[in-house]
Amino acid sequence: MSSRSFRLPLFVALRDSFRQGYSLNHFRSDLLAGITVGIIAIPLAMALAIAVGVAPQHGLYTGIVGGLLIALCGGSRFNISGPTAAFVVILLPITQQYGLGGLLLVTLMAGLILLALGLARLGSLIQFVPYPVVMGFTAGIGVVIATLQLKDFFGLQLAAQPSHYLEQWQLLITALPSIQPGDTLVGVATLLVLIFWPRLTRRIPGHLIALLIGSLLGALLLSLEIPVATLGARFSYELDGVTHAGIPPFAPQWVLPWQLPGADGQPLTVNFVLLQQLLPSALAVAMLGAIESLLCALVADGMANTRHDPNAELLGQGLGNLIVPFFGGITATAAIARTATSVRNGAFSPIAAVVHALVILLAVVLLARLFAWLPMASLAAMLLIVAWNMSEAPRVLHLLRVGPRQDVLVLVICLLLTVLFDMVLAVGVGLLLAAALFIKRMADLSEGGAQPRAQDQALADLPECVALYRIHGPLFFAAADKALDAISRFDSQTRYVVIDMRSVPSMDMSALVLFEKALQGLAKQGIEVYLVGVRAPIRLKLKRVGLSASRDLRTFAATPQRAAQMIRVKLAESALA
């Protein structure tokens, strides 16, 4: 194997962009797109970090470190990576059970798994996740995220933090008397701006205007002594023994993830038992990260008429998630909404994502103290919009009306399992159901049976002792019995059987066993068999199990004409004898 085979596909998108010719105009386009996306990403990163149960700065660190590393190392020219809404349903239970340290350790483990997937060249795995499964769990995630935001949107005081969806609704309903007019007003105002501002103009990001209006309204209400929960009132940090409101105004600092607090507030004790407990969550995070990033790359390619390298993208995602926990960042993957915004604003290369990361870094260093005034209700309103866009409710409703009933069932089951249980179970069950439906559909396509010789012109003039048997479709465990059921049911005058296999693309071991029994049954009756149009891979399998030509009265023929010619020779020999 040449040394070239071992070359890691790193910096693929960056190299491709420069190979096409990177000009000053391209840099200007990347700069504008990166600044626009960076402005949008700042509040979203904080809101998503809060949604998974950690302080908002950890979401910003994810956008800075993860967004920069993945863009430079990955295989998509346009993907903008950072914290995403899809991870909320997976990461929140991890935070509740293992704390911030456990969450970062899961991210590190997921990065290793993503690296392994990229090195194993499994970037095409997105093709094996059916659309109803993807739609079902993404819509379910949207429902869960929207429900989680109702507490801050209305300023409700919950007695506990429930872990199950039905319990969440029970506590929300119980807490309705605690609704805060100030938070509700700010949340509704922010939500209305987010909905209607894009209809006025897209030159100025609606998220920026919505947050500005929400913050100003919140400050006004606070001046009137109407309570409004703010980020500074909820979160704080300690510096030189002094507690400050909001988030620390510093760039991400090096930290060992396992030294951060667990659920009990103490540093984690890393051992085999803990890693074993975290592994299922890490696998789920890696799987969802791979799906999200590759889907995002496909969307970007469709918008910009480009092509990405899926294996390089998985390696980039793996490296990003492997390194970002050492800077206090949580799980990162490509975000479709931010990536689409970057493409629409003229991005040409991964430099746009780098600019986006630098914009977040500047905001942390220069504006962190201002972030303390952000109303929690405004951040909740932003995530409500994210949840709505993620759920694709209009498309889901359309599919429920017009989609095939079986696919609709898979979608609904995935949605309900995601909402009521968890996404890992939903995807697992969804894939099993989709696989079962695929097997059934393939089995329905496979059939076999005796046919009148007149259906094939080459055999039409042969005598009655010649029979034709046709097999259509793949022969596998679910279809072989049906397709081969009648292969031995020929009358006593039959001496030759032509089995037309030109429409058989594949055959598995179960079909081989049944086929062998059927041919042995024909051989016991003294019937000669001519296997017509057997494809080379199937012919090799038949020979490996002993079903070779000129044995037990079996012969391979390339075409029906060739089989007819050989049968005429046999008939002539019999007549002379």
Side-chain angles (χ1 to χ4, degrees), residues 189-209:
T190 306
L191 190 61
L192 290 175
V193 174
L194 288 169
I195 293 172
F196 293 107
W197 183 262
R199 302 182 186 182
L200 300 176
T201 180
R202 290 186 179 272
R203 293 184 179 180
I204 303 176
H207 293 73
L208 179 62
I209 302 301

Side-chain angles (χ1 to χ4, degrees), residues 225-292:
E225 298 185 353
I226 299 175
V228 174
T230 61
L231 188 145
R234 180 78 60 85
F235 298 96
S236 62
Y237 65 97
E238 189 171 302
L239 180 63
D240 297 330
V242 179
T243 300
H244 301 271
I247 66 173
F250 309 119
Q253 306 291 315
W254 177 266
V255 64
L256 296 177
W258 46 87
Q259 291 184 351
L260 293 172
D264 58 359
Q266 300 300 316
L268 290 174
T269 301
V270 180
N271 51 41
F272 181 75
V273 173
L274 177 64
L275 296 178
Q276 191 177 33
Q277 293 172 344
L278 295 178
L279 182 58
S281 298
L283 288 169
V285 168
M287 179 185 67
L288 182 56
I291 294 172
E292 279 283 300

Side-chain angles (χ1 to χ4, degrees), residues 440-513:
K440 181 181 183 301
R441 287 165 179 165
M442 290 299 100
D444 291 341
L445 291 176
S446 301
E447 58 182 5
Q451 306 291 328
R453 288 190 319 282
Q455 286 195 4
D456 197 309
Q457 189 175 359
L459 307 176
D461 60 344
L462 292 177
E464 294 297 324
C465 63
V466 180
L468 172 63
Y469 193 92
R470 274 208 177 99
I471 304 175
H472 293 275
L475 285 179
F476 64 110
F477 63 93
D481 188 59
K482 181 183 72 172
L484 302 174
D485 181 57
I487 202 169
S488 58
R489 299 177 187 172
F490 294 102
D491 54 46
S492 57
Q493 67 175 353
T494 301
R495 292 172 51 196
Y496 306 95
V497 173
V498 177
I499 302 179
D500 188 345
M501 300 180 65
R502 289 175 293 177
S503 298
V504 179
S506 61
M507 180 182 290
D508 73 354
M509 181 56 68
S510 298
L512 280 172
V513 171

Side-chain angles (χ1 to χ4, degrees), residues 67-143:
L68 189 146
L69 283 175
I70 294 171
L72 292 177
C73 300
S76 171
R77 288 167 54 179
F78 305 107
N79 273 5
I80 305 291
S81 295
T84 60
F87 282 118
V88 171
V89 295
I90 298 180
L91 301 185
L92 179 58
I94 297 172
T95 307
Q96 292 172 338
Q97 188 171 358
Y98 299 100
L100 175 62
L103 177 59
L104 299 194
L105 197 55
V106 165
T107 300
L108 190 154
M109 295 169 66
L112 289 173
I113 296 169
L114 286 167
L115 274 176
L117 292 176
L119 291 172
R121 308 187 69 80
L122 295 177
S124 59
L125 60 86
I126 186 64
Q127 301 172 5
F128 301 100
V129 182
Y131 187 71
V133 176
V134 175
M135 284 295 295
F137 77 72
T138 52
I141 290 170
V143 172

Side-chain angles (χ1 to χ4, degrees), residues 323-363:
I323 295 173
V324 75
F326 291 97
F327 291 90
I330 59 177
T331 308
T333 191
I336 293 177
R338 276 164 272 171
T339 299
T341 301
S342 180
V343 175
R344 283 196 294 264
N345 280 275
F348 178 78
S349 75
I351 299 299
V354 173
V355 173
H356 137 273
L358 295 177
V359 168
I360 301 175
L361 175 60
L362 286 174

